[in-house]
């Protein structure tokens, strides 16, 4: 673990390399970090009951033949969103399109499917995911992999608009560095990690929500 943490802290110091834990604001000049840009968009129409697609119907809607590329994420009666990829040279990119989730490229280095969205857009539904719930990752060839939500983490950011802020785990009261949070949520191997911000007291970046799902048996 010490070696893995060292890799994360190195990411914070190298120029033009993105840091992992971000805020709902625009980047300042000279700061190389991941942010969720402020974009006017919405989560798309809510679906429920008979209007909600089956996982097979949803998979068919996002299939494009790209066998190893994540194209969608689905949880019955909660969310069914297409997934877009970050540009190769921009690990801070988050799609401005409403009803779309963005895959976090740095997480993929560690075998994790990281899914990012604004808390005022698609990310608003991340908080509706519950422990024990099945989520499905859909690939471009139409194949589907099932995961089950087994951890939900909420943190207060002590410096809400800083990507290197320390964080307080709202479940344990423990204070963690940004590097420790990254290692906790994005270095777990084959898992899905949903990330969005937590709004409180008029501050849209008050905290961070992580919903973690591991392969279903």
């Amino acid at each position: 673990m010490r070696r893995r943490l060292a890799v994360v802290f190195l990411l914070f110091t190298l120029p033009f390399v993105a840091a992992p834990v971000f805020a709902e604001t625009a980047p300042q000049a000279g700061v190389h970090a991941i942010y969720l840009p402020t974009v006017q968009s919405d989560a798309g129409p809510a679906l429920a009951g008979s209007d909600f697609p089956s996982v097979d119907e949803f998979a068919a809607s996002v299939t494009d033949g790209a066998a190893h590329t994540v194209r969608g994420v689905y949880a019955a009666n909660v969310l069914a969103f297409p997934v877009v990829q970050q540009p190769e040279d921009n690990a801070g990119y988050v799609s401005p399109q409403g009803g779309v989730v963005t895959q976090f490229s740095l997480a993929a280095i560690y075998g994790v499917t990281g899914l990012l969205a604004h808390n005022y857009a698609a990310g608003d539904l991340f908080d509706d995911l519950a422990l024990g719930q099945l989520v499905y990752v859909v690939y471009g060839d139409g194949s589907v992999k099932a995961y089950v939500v087994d951890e939900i983490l909420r943190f207060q950011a002590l410096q809400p608009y800083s990507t290197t802020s320390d964080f307080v785990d709202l479940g344990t009261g423990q204070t963690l560095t940004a590097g420790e949070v990254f290692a906790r949520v994005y270095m777990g191997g084959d898992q899905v990690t949903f990330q969005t911000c937590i709004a409180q007291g008029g501050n849209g970046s008050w905290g961070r929500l992580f919903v973690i799902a591991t392969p279903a048996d």
Side-chain angles (χ1 to χ4, degrees):
M1 177 60 74
R2 183 174 300 172
R3 180 180 298 175
R4 298 172 81 187
L5 286 175
V7 173
V8 176
F9 288 124
L10 181 61
L11 290 177
F12 293 163
T13 60
L14 290 176
F16 302 103
V17 175
V21 183
F22 42 74
E24 295 275 358
T25 185
Q28 299 175 356
V31 177
H32 308 293
I34 286 182
Y35 291 83
L36 289 178
T38 299
V39 181
Q40 297 302 314
S41 60
D42 57 39
L47 299 174
S50 61
D51 292 329
F52 206 93
S54 69
V55 64
D56 290 337
E57 291 169 336
F58 173 71
S61 74
V62 298
T63 296
D64 64 1
H68 303 293
T69 304
V70 177
R71 291 303 190 206
V73 62
Y74 177 96
N77 294 313
V78 177
L79 56 84
F81 291 131
V83 174
V84 297
Q85 310 301 310
Q86 295 177 321
E88 291 185 4
D89 60 350
N90 188 358
Y93 173 81
V94 177
S95 172
Q97 184 179 353
V100 171
V101 173
T102 301
Q103 185 174 6
F104 183 23
S105 60
L106 288 182
I109 295 173
Y110 302 98
V112 173
T113 301
L115 300 176
L116 314 175
H118 298 287
N119 58 5
Y120 55 83
D124 181 56
L125 295 181
F126 291 178
D127 199 33
D128 291 340
L129 295 167
L131 293 174
Q133 185 158 27
L134 286 174
V135 298
Y136 299 88
V137 173
V138 181
Y139 295 87
D141 62 353
S143 62
V144 176
K145 185 167 183 179
Y147 294 79
V148 60
V149 175
D150 60 11
E151 191 170 22
I152 298 174
L153 300 171
R154 292 178 173 85
F155 296 90
Q156 177 187 358
L158 297 182
Q159 295 176 286
Y161 299 107
S162 170
T163 59
T164 58
S165 172
D166 288 343
F167 294 87
V168 176
D169 185 326
L170 297 179
T172 67
Q174 181 182 14
T175 299
L176 302 172
T177 66
E180 289 170 328
V181 173
F182 183 94
R184 175 77 179 276
V185 301
Y186 286 126
M187 296 177 72
D190 185 14
Q191 67 182 45
V192 179
T193 299
F194 298 84
Q195 179 179 347
T196 192
C197 288
I198 297 171
Q200 184 163 307
N203 186 336
S205 295
W206 180 89
R208 309 291 184 267
L209 169 69
F210 299 94
V211 179
I212 299 173
T214 55
D217 294 333

